[in-house]
């Protein structure tokens, strides 16, 4: 009952006129970001983060999270109308969404996609409402060793459970650890990797790195590819919406299964993209209309959209309750919380109740507002793609530069943003993932501090990380996650030999 009372208090915060205004603004900006290929939820949040510095933390995080919800909604528009995935997780939506649009069923496909996204997010938010306080309460027992074990589990999960090659994931993570180590050592007070530069005494600002890596890196790559858009039209009327809504309940099993898959992938660092593909693949295998998948089957739109939105929302659970982000966008939001002086983790639920429950309440409202906006404004958002990318790209670059300069009012930050942009471009060209790098930048110094504090308390003994049931269980889970692909291959070989015998 306490969670319900806290949630109602959160609604009182989220329903304040200013917070409603930033919620709508965030959704609109997010849909625009989702519609434009080359950007994305993490990129948009990183680029627009400086705009929130003058806001109260609760309003700022509501706006940034709504940008994320809007990007999740917006990715479906280009996937269905233009066969251009606005987001990586929207690729699976193109398989059946675009064929439906070619058959004159664009309105049905868009309605199904938006409604499924809303259902997936609602399922994940309910889960966060019920589970996050329990996880946070349990995490209050954590000391330095337990905190490091959680960070270790997060890093190992990115290596072992990600679809990226483990070597590239580890290499990207090592770069992030090196960047996180620049500046003042929190334990000894000595300077590290500053090379005599006074500007680097406090290390690399997280926001500068993220704007460069995500914002500029994506734009440079998109400019090189010479992306061009072709205009398209779409209109959704009330009759189509009602007719589609009446047909959706027959796919309740697909929606429920996709919600579960999405929430699981969101809590683990797998993310929305593998969730959408896995949900689509399972739906195709299980559905009685599986042979029609890829030819314009509405179930092929419902499954990936539900899973992607559930995963994107569920990724905030470990960030809020443990201080460990479950996705690149959650990592950017985590950096924003740190900039505002808020420490994500179990104490956040104790010290900043109004903030946490205001954010959770805004998830309910933000997704409802997003559903209404995208259903009524599809033609407007689709028309954005008629603006030449040669005009959009310079505007985004200027916005990135203004955002970087506004952090410390320093031109050095703009230069560093360009450097990070080139690094991000090079890593993307070489197919190195950016998510582990961002995770390492955000959590690297915290993991190092927890590790060294643990060793100081145990007089240098690594046995501290296996000294009790809690910490040893988390460390073992981390090791299992790290070597998960090896374990899977071993089981596969064993089954093959057993079958052959």
């Amino acid at each position: 009952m306490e969670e319900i009372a806290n949630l109602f208090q959160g609604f009182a915060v989220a329903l304040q006129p200013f917070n409603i205004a930033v919620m709508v603004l965030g959704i609109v900006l997010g849909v625009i970001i989702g519609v434009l290929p080359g950007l994305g939820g993490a990129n948009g949040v990183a680029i627009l983060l400086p705009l929130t510095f003058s806001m109260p933390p609760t309003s700022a995080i509501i706006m940034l999270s709504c940008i994320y919800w809007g990007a999740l909604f917006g990715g479906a528009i280009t996937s269905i109308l233009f066969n251009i995935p606005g987001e990586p997780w929207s690729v699976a939506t193109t398989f059946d969404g675009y064929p439906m649009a070619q058959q004159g069923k664009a309105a049905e496909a868009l309605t199904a996609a938006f409604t499924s996204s809303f259902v997936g997010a609602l399922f994940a938010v309910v889960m966060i409402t019920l589970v996050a306080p329990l996880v946070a309460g349990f995490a209050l027992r954590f000391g330095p060793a337990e905190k490091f074990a959680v960070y270790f589990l997060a890093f190992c999960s990115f290596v072992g459970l990600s679809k990226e090659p483990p070597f590239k994931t580890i290499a990207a993570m090592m770069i992030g650890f090196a960047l996180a180590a620049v500046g003042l050592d929190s334990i000894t007070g000595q300077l590290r990797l500053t090379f005599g530069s006074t500007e680097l005494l406090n290390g690399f600002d997280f926001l500068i790195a993220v704007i460069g890596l995500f914002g500029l890196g994506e734009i440079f790559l998109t400019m090189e590819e010479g992306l061009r858009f072709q205009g398209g039209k779409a209109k959704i009327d009330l009759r189509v919406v009602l007719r589609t809504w009446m047909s959706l309940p027959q796919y309740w099993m697909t929606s429920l299964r996709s919600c579960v898959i999405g929430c699981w992938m969101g809590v683990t660092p797998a993310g929305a993209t593998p969730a959408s593909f896995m949900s689509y693949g399972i739906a195709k295998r299980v559905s009685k209309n599986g042979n029609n998948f890829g030819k314009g089957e509405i179930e092929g739109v419902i499954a990936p959209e539900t899973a992607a939105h559930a995963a994107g929302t569920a990724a905030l659970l470990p960030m809020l309750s443990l201080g460990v982000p479950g996705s690149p966008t959650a990592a950017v939001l985590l950096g924003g919380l740190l900039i505002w002086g808020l420490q994500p983790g179990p104490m956040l639920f104790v010290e900043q109740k109004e903030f946490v429950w205001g954010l959770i309440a805004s998830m309910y409202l933000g997704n409802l507002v997003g559903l209404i906006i995208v259903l009524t404004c599809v033609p407007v958002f689709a028309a954005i793609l008629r603006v030449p990318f040669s005009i959009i790209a310079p505007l985004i670059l200027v916005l990135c530069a203004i955002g970087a300069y506004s952090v410390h009012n320093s031109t050095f930050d703009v230069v560093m943003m360009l450097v990070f942009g080139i690094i991000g471009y090079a890593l993307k060209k070489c197919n190195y993932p950016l998510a582990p790098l961002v995770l390492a930048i955000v959590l690297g110094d915290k993991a190092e501090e927890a590790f060294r504090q643990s060793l100081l308390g145990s007089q240098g003994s690594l046995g501290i990380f296996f000294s009790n049931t809690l910490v040893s269980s988390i460390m073992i889970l981390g090791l299992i996650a790290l070597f998960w692909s090896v374990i899977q291959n071993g089981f596969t070989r064993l089954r093959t030999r057993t079958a052959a015998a």
Side-chain angles (χ1 to χ4, degrees), residues 66-102:
C66 285
I67 290 172
Y68 186 29
W69 313 144
L72 284 165
F73 278 117
I77 296 176
T78 51
S79 298
I80 292 170
L81 296 182
F82 302 91
N83 203 28
I84 301 173
E87 301 281 359
W89 53 77
S90 297
V91 174
T93 307
T94 64
F95 298 159
D96 284 276
Y98 186 63
M100 287 184 69
Q102 288 182 312

Side-chain angles (χ1 to χ4, degrees), residues 132 221 224 236 282 286 291 308 350 366 389 460 473 477 495:
L221 199 63
E224 181 193 22
I236 299 180
I282 293 176
V286 173
N291 292 332
V350 177
F389 195 76
S473 299
L477 283 175
R495 281 199 301 265

